[in-house]
Amino acid sequence: MGILTFNSFQPQVCFQEVPDEVALAFTITGCPLRCQGCHSQDSWDPQIGIELNRLTFEGYLQRYQGLVSCILFFGGEWNPQALIEKLLIAKTMGLKTCLYTGKDKVPLKIVQQLDFLKTGAWLPTRGGLEKPTTNQRFMDLKTGNLLNYKFRE
Ligand code: SF4
């Protein structure tokens, strides 16, 4: 199994990235997509990240237990086994799971471990989830509902 690396900041508690959830977000480094106008170019180089191994990840989940309802990964789908390992740990601890990817599709074996999935590259001319023109999609995978409207409220 390969490793996931995440930016050297602490994971962040987010209130808006996953509608109606309090999410603990990990920004995984090594994103290969290089979207024009990307706001997270510091996440492109995997060498700048530190390893998010099982013990480290479990430690963060225990520290935030009761404070968050969902674990959010910004990227990491390029290392599916390591990502799936973390998603399974989160689910075992009773947390929902979400992935933000710049791709339009991710492998089914990842999707099966997710509650929420945001797909689509960042295109400056189309805008993000809050824009009606966006190419990006935020799905509730359990209901099959598109939740983009929740980002415009
Ligand atoms: S997918 Fe996200 S992090 Fe990766 S290059 Fe595109 S905007 Fe940046």
Side-chain angles (χ1 to χ4, degrees), residues 97-110:
T97 54
C98 179
L99 172 67
Y100 270 53
T101 175
K103 301 181 85 170
D104 291 328
K105 281 187 176 174
V106 292
L108 182 61
K109 60 186 178 182
I110 294 178

Side-chain angles (χ1 to χ4, degrees), residues 4 8 22 25 39 43 50 88 93 97 99 105 110 116 148:
L4 287 184
S8 52
V22 179
H39 298 295
S43 72
I50 58 174
L88 288 170
M93 294 180 72
T97 54
L99 172 67
K105 281 187 176 174
I110 294 178
F116 305 99
N148 284 36

Side-chain angles (χ1 to χ4, degrees), residues 128-143:
L129 290 166
E130 75 285 1
K131 300 285 188 187
T133 53
T134 191
N135 60 300
Q136 300 181 329
R137 294 167 60 83
F138 189 102
M139 296 293 301
D140 180 334
L141 296 172
K142 301 307 176 199
T143 64

Side-chain angles (χ1 to χ4, degrees), residues 31 33-35 38 40 43-44 102 122:
C31 180
L33 297 182
R34 299 178 180 254
C35 305
C38 168
S40 304
S43 72
W44 288 4
W122 165 253

